[in-house]
Amino acid sequence: MKAPPPVTSDASDAVTPETLRKQYAAGATVDELVTASGLSYGTVLNRLHDAGTDMRTSWQTRRMRQNPQARRRLAAHLRTLYEQHGATLTELAQGAGETRRAARRLLIEAGGTMRTTQQTLRMRTAGRAAERHKLALSLRARYEAGASVPELAEDCNYSVATVYRLLHQAKTRMRPQHRHGPPHDERKRP
């Protein structure tokens, strides 16, 4: 004979995976959730996994509990770097001494939304384009004040071709080219 299935109480059905996930994200441990809910350890773990919970190690929980205000400040700082400065998860993880996964979790806790790789590339390209335009205008001002293209290239540590390209992007009116070497007399041609 088969044993009858275990009887589930209405109380255990009321503890939803989402409720457990929120409590866990707020800092509760699995053991504390087991005690509070009256569910078995395995059931709590299964429900957390069903809710898509990113699990912590015990040291991460201890660290989280040490100073929740510092965690919120770190999360807000990471969100600013991510959203306004175009930092990647890898850069955030390196700066915060965390893993990419932990940096992602902190961003989400701070209300940030994740970007695709293409969005990150577009954001960074736009930022570099603005810096490059600013540099082009600066080079234009110096060129119009009398600096030569080779001088500008040496000062900026760019090639002459790059300086010319930046000057053209800034719509600089170029001076006539100087001829170097002995003067050419047009009348002496045979």
Side-chain angles (χ1 to χ4, degrees):
M1 282 181 65
K2 274 187 154 180
V7 178
T8 59
S9 68
D10 291 336
S12 71
D13 290 338
V15 182
T16 65
E18 190 59 31
T19 304
L20 290 173
R21 186 192 66 75
K22 286 179 183 175
Q23 292 173 350
Y24 185 79
T29 64
V30 175
D31 289 328
E32 291 169 345
L33 293 175
V34 167
T35 303
S37 67
L39 300 172
S40 71
Y41 193 89
T43 302
V44 169
L45 279 179
N46 286 337
R47 290 189 183 181
L48 286 172
H49 288 293
D50 290 344
T53 308
D54 288 327
M55 302 304 287
R56 300 183 299 265
T57 61
S58 58
W59 68 267
Q60 288 173 320
T61 300
R62 281 193 303 276
R63 191 166 153 193
M64 179 179 173
R65 288 181 166 192
Q66 285 174 352
N67 192 345
Q69 290 176 338
R71 181 179 174 82
R72 283 192 295 275
R73 279 195 306 271
L74 175 61
H77 177 67
L78 293 180
R79 181 180 178 189
T80 301
L81 291 175
Y82 186 75
E83 292 179 350
Q84 295 177 6
H85 301 287
T88 63
L89 283 177
T90 302
E91 292 166 345
L92 295 178
Q94 289 171 349
E98 299 279 346
T99 63
R100 284 175 42 94
R101 187 175 180 181
R104 182 179 190 279
R105 190 177 311 127
L106 285 168
L107 278 175
I108 292 170
E109 285 176 20
T113 54
M114 303 310 296
R115 294 188 301 260
T116 64
T117 304
Q118 289 299 319
Q119 290 170 323
T120 300
L121 290 173
R122 271 188 243 119
M123 185 177 196
R124 287 186 159 201
T125 302
R128 283 193 300 262
E131 290 174 17
R132 196 167 174 86
H133 183 69
K134 190 175 176 182
L135 173 64
L137 293 177
S138 167
L139 290 173
R140 176 183 175 177
R142 290 178 57 198
Y143 179 80
E144 290 174 347
S148 70
V149 172
E151 289 171 354
L152 293 173
E154 188 175 326
D155 288 348
C156 296
N157 203 22
Y158 285 124
S159 69
V160 171
T162 300
V163 171
Y164 271 115
R165 191 170 27 260
L166 288 168
L167 289 172
H168 286 292
Q169 286 174 0
K171 301 192 184 336
T172 306
R173 184 176 177 149
M174 303 303 290
R175 296 187 291 260
Q177 290 184 353
H178 299 289
R179 293 182 185 231
H180 299 287
H184 297 285
D185 190 2
E186 297 290 327
R187 290 179 281 171
K188 290 186 178 180
R189 281 191 177 172

